[in-house]
Amino acid sequence: MKVKVIPVLEDNYMYLVIEEITREAVAVDVAVPKRLLEIVGREGVSLTAVLTTHHHWDHARGNPELARLRPGLAVLGADERIFSLTRRLAHGEELRFGAIHVRCLLTPGHTSGHMSYFLWEDDCPDPPALFSGDALSVAGCGLCLEGSAQQMYQSLAELGTLPPETKVFCGHEHTLSNLEFAQKVEPRNDHVRAKLSWAKKRDEDDVPTVPSTLGEERLYNPFLRVAEEPVRKFTGKAVPAEVLEALYKERARFEQAGEPRQPQARALLALQWGLLSAAPHE
């Protein structure tokens, strides 16, 4: 399994997942279809399906044009509001693309129909991958727009049960600001400090910060650390869902107080990552 990380729009990511034996490919969150098809052609793969995490414009806007250009393409997701949806998926449903297994995990909170996708191959040394959309990002998570804090907590808790080596491919490049907030929450957390230093260097070099791993996220992502004493102390809450809700409010204040950040410039070409890679291949 090979993952192509494709920066698009202001700070979004779409992905192309390639099964290297059959050369079958699946796209995740198509925002710019022509860019995707350029990469599909260059890789010489057969695009068979689109997995959409949620219905928001910046994650699903490319579906209609892609469906027009590729008749018969399966467009899959959990929300009827997703553009050009051909089949609605259910929580726990499993799909198969060549040797790649896909487990569909309903993760409501950001939207009521948000679906995350857990991918793996049997008897493969590479770690599995999670395409988390706006449910979970590097050092943060998406706004809780259509659900309760309890729902979002349950969604994040479910994702947290996946293997720690799972690579996390999220929907946006928000890592630097997420880590700056995480440092405010836990100023003595050495993992936050180290990851922030690393992310600043990536930002200077205009290189994506995805993927992270779930194991890493548990060390510095405050939204996955609601049971930790420093995070509870920061929020003044003890019940996990209440801690999470307080974190959302504090994050909003943090963003309002900060200076506007210029969007990081995006490379025009896709960046290719193997699931075990530490740097782009191109």
Side-chain angles (χ1 to χ4, degrees):
M1 178 167 55
K2 179 170 70 174
V3 177
K4 301 279 290 184
V5 178
I6 310 170
V8 291
L9 306 179
E10 183 177 289
D11 58 22
N12 279 72
Y13 287 119
M14 62 182 183
Y15 299 98
L16 183 68
V17 184
I18 300 170
E19 204 274 44
E20 296 192 88
I21 297 175
T22 65
R23 306 304 292 169
E24 186 174 357
V26 180
V28 180
D29 282 356
V30 177
V32 184
K34 290 184 178 178
R35 175 92 62 86
L36 176 71
L37 291 178
E38 287 174 2
I39 297 164
V40 166
R42 193 172 71 214
E43 290 290 321
V45 297
S46 175
L47 180 66
T48 59
V50 173
L51 300 174
T52 304
T53 60
H54 61 295
H55 75 283
H56 285 165
W57 177 86
D58 56 331
H59 295 261
R61 68 188 288 270
N63 290 352
E65 183 179 358
L66 189 62
R68 180 181 61 81
L69 294 171
R70 293 295 176 94
L73 185 72
V75 178
L76 309 175
D79 195 321
E80 293 291 349
R81 294 173 292 179
I82 291 171
F83 302 137
S84 301
L85 188 72
T86 61
R87 185 163 72 84
R88 189 173 181 177
L89 300 171
H91 175 66
E93 185 172 349
E94 294 200 358
L95 311 171
R96 186 79 177 263
F97 301 100
I100 299 174
H101 298 267
V102 180
R103 183 178 302 146
C104 305
L105 301 173
L106 191 63
T107 45
H110 181 66
T111 67
S112 59
H114 192 290
M115 185 74 85
S116 299
Y117 301 98
F118 178 65
L119 279 65
W120 78 96
E121 291 180 273
D122 293 330
D123 304 318
C124 178
D126 290 345
L130 173 68
F131 294 89
S132 57
D134 287 353
L136 176 68
S137 57
V138 181
C141 66
L143 294 174
C144 191
L145 299 177
E146 294 183 0
S148 66
Q150 180 63 36
Q151 278 184 309
M152 196 66 174
Y153 167 70
Q154 291 172 339
S155 295
L156 292 174
E158 175 154 20
L159 295 181
T161 66
L162 297 174
E165 67 272 19
T166 300
K167 296 287 185 180
V168 179
F169 294 91
C170 59
H172 291 273
E173 180 59 49
H174 291 165
T175 302
L176 196 55
S177 60
N178 286 345
L179 285 164
E180 288 169 347
F181 175 67
Q183 189 171 57
K184 180 180 179 181
V185 177
E186 293 189 89
R188 297 182 181 179
N189 186 324
D190 291 337
H191 300 290
V192 173
R193 188 179 300 112
K195 189 72 174 182
L196 178 57
S197 176
W198 174 86
K200 287 179 178 177
K201 181 63 166 61
R202 305 292 283 187
D203 184 68
E204 290 169 0
D205 295 340
D206 193 22
V207 179
T209 60
V210 294
S212 63
T213 71
L214 275 176
E216 292 170 354
E217 292 299 316
R218 292 171 186 148
L219 297 175
Y220 53 67
N221 189 329
F223 296 91
L224 289 182
R225 293 174 54 79
V226 293
E228 300 297 326
E229 182 57 32
V231 181
R232 291 185 174 190
K233 184 176 180 181
F234 174 81
T235 62
K237 305 292 183 180
V239 178
E242 293 178 0
V243 175
L244 189 64
E245 187 173 23
L247 283 174
Y248 275 120
K249 292 177 180 178
E250 289 297 330
R251 177 60 197 263
R253 294 190 188 101
F254 178 80
E255 290 183 346
Q256 290 170 1
E259 295 182 2
R261 180 182 298 280
Q262 292 297 319
Q264 186 185 42
R266 293 289 154 220
L268 292 179
L269 297 178
L271 296 172
Q272 175 180 312
W273 290 62
L275 286 179
L276 291 175
S277 297
H281 293 289
E282 63 184 30

